[in-house]
């Protein structure tokens, strides 16, 4: 583990965060929810420096923001940090977050699919409309992503924008994140007059949770502050891997579910059980 953080200073993130029946119902109906203070300011402050430093060291972008393609402009993306960094490991494997994921989905247990830091640089572009689960070879609708800013983000950067109830439509498009997906899905949303939600400004430690099939996008970053966000993807324990129907799903099967064959339980050393009733 490479880390210059004294792990005794890291807060535990074990104690539960209590959800109301209304919150669970809202998530299940909309496919997304925003929860305040899922981690406290003190807790975030104990983790942010190590995660931020790791992401900065592993940023593979060599060109300035303005010279990259849409996907490259959208964020600095670093995955599977939990295996490389002690602070990230404690954060990603946190029982508190995993229990919220299980409670919102109404399942008995959740496993880790993978983590991902998504840092949007000053001047960073928008994240086009997309569904996450087109990338995942997971044979379940019970998938969920925690999206938590490690620094406060202003109204103009805001949360992601979600299409309410879109998780019930399942597979809507084969398109991956691109200008094309943004245009096609954008006109579909507008044409159908689908309701969307953006939660606006968020404090460090607030979090949104959204289902794998929930259609979403994110605005660019017009500020001079880095938008530091950590994401953790969970799926219901007992989920099986599916036969990949795209190169993206083939890559994901090999990368995030090593050794697992289609039809088998989605369990590998990279997918620990993080919470179980």
């Amino acid at each position: 583990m490479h880390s210059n953080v004294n792990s005794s200073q890291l807060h535990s993130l074990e104690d539960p965060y209590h959800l109301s029946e209304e919150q669970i119902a809202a998530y299940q109906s909309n496919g997304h929810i925003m929860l305040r203070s899922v981690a406290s300011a003190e807790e975030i402050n104990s983790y942010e420096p190590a995660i931020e430093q790791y992401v900065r060291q592993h940023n593979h972008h060599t060109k300035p923001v303005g010279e990259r393609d849409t996907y490259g402009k959208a964020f600095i993306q670093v995955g599977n940090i939990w295996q490389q960094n002690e602070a990230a490991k404690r954060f990603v494997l946190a029982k508190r977050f995993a229990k919220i994921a299980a409670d919102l989905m109404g399942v008995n247990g959740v496993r880790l699919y993978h983590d991902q830091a998504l840092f949007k640089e000053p001047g960073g572009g928008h994240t086009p409309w997309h569904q996450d689960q087109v990338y995942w070879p997971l044979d379940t609708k019970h998938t969920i992503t925690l999206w938590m800013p490690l620094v406060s983000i202003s109204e103009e950067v805001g949360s992601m924008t979600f299409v309410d109830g879109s998780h019930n439509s399942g597979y809507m498009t084969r398109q991956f994140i691109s200008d094309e997906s943004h245009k096609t899905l954008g006109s579909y949303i507008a044409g159908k007059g689908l309701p969307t939600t953006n939660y606006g400004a968020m404090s460090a430690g607030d979090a949104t949770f959204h289902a794998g099939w929930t259609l979403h996008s994110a605005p660019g970053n017009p500020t001079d502050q880095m938008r530091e966000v950590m994401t953790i993807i969970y799926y219901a324990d007992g989920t099986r891997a599916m036969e990949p129907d795209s190169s993206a799903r083939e890559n994901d099967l090999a990368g995030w579910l090593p050794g697992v064959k289609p039809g088998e339980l989605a369990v590998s050393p990279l997918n620990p059980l993080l919470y179980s009733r």
Side-chain angles (χ1 to χ4, degrees):
M1 294 284 174
H2 330 295
S3 177
N4 56 1
V5 171
N6 173 355
S7 49
S8 64
Q9 295 167 337
L10 295 171
H11 290 253
S12 88
L13 304 175
E14 292 299 291
D15 51 317
Y17 179 99
H18 296 290
L19 293 168
S20 67
E21 291 302 316
E22 290 74 28
Q23 286 172 317
I24 293 170
Y27 169 79
Q28 292 185 359
S29 154
N30 294 322
H32 57 82
I33 193 168
M34 204 260 286
L35 302 173
R36 297 278 180 205
S37 304
V38 170
S40 69
E42 297 73 36
E43 287 169 337
I44 288 292
N45 290 341
S46 75
Y47 287 91
E48 186 273 341
I51 294 175
E52 190 275 337
Q53 181 187 17
Y54 184 84
V55 173
R56 203 173 26 177
Q57 287 166 348
H58 293 80
N59 171 15
H60 62 273
H61 287 306
T62 48
K63 295 178 176 170
V65 173
E67 293 170 27
R68 301 182 208 149
D69 65 7
T70 300
Y71 195 89
K73 285 185 176 111
F75 29 60
I76 300 173
Q77 192 174 14
V78 184
N80 220 15
I81 308 180
W82 75 277
Q83 290 220 294
Q84 313 298 326
N85 176 284
E86 185 56 41
K89 181 177 186 177
R90 294 271 292 271
F91 185 88
V92 170
L93 304 187
K95 194 170 174 183
R96 179 192 304 162
F97 304 161
K99 182 178 190 301
I100 294 173
D103 289 347
L104 289 173
M105 293 193 291
V107 301
N108 287 330
V110 292
R111 289 186 177 272
L112 175 66
Y113 186 44
H114 63 86
D115 68 47
Q116 219 168 29
L118 296 174
F119 282 26
K120 199 178 281 278
E121 297 148 287
H126 71 286
T127 307
W129 287 111
H130 66 284
Q131 291 175 295
D132 296 336
Q133 204 158 328
V134 298
Y135 290 93
W136 306 341
L138 295 169
D139 194 6
T140 181
K141 64 179 202 294
H142 293 306
T143 59
I144 193 168
T145 298
L146 165 150
W147 189 95
M148 183 182 285
L150 304 179
V151 293
S152 291
I153 50 181
S154 65
E155 189 74 39
E156 51 187 334
V157 177
S159 76
M160 293 179 287
T161 301
F162 303 99
V163 177
D164 306 340
S166 53
H167 62 309
N168 292 320
S169 304
Y171 212 142
M172 291 167 74
T173 170
R174 297 188 68 89
Q175 292 180 327
F176 300 119
I177 298 182
S178 60
D179 293 331
E180 204 43 46
S181 79
H182 198 63
K183 217 163 56 192
T184 318
L185 291 167
S187 22
Y188 175 78
I189 294 159
K192 291 247 191 256
L194 302 179
T196 62
T197 299
N198 183 297
Y199 292 104
M202 292 175 70
S203 298
D206 291 346
T208 60
F209 285 80
H210 69 276
W213 288 121
T214 301
L215 202 51
H216 61 286
S217 66
N221 180 3
T223 73
D224 55 7
Q225 301 293 308
M226 177 76 84
R227 186 209 76 181
E228 298 178 24
V229 166
M230 206 40 206
T231 66
I232 308 171
I233 307 165
Y234 308 89
Y235 59 88
D237 184 32
T239 295
R240 292 183 182 274
M242 58 186 281
E243 187 67 56
D245 53 0
S246 66
S247 57
R249 282 180 165 172
E250 259 165 48
N251 295 340
D252 261 33
L253 185 63
W256 305 124
L257 300 166
V260 177
K261 296 186 175 55
E264 293 181 348
L265 284 172
V267 177
S268 86
L270 293 187
N271 316 111
L273 182 65
L274 299 186
Y275 172 76
S276 178
R277 296 184 205 292

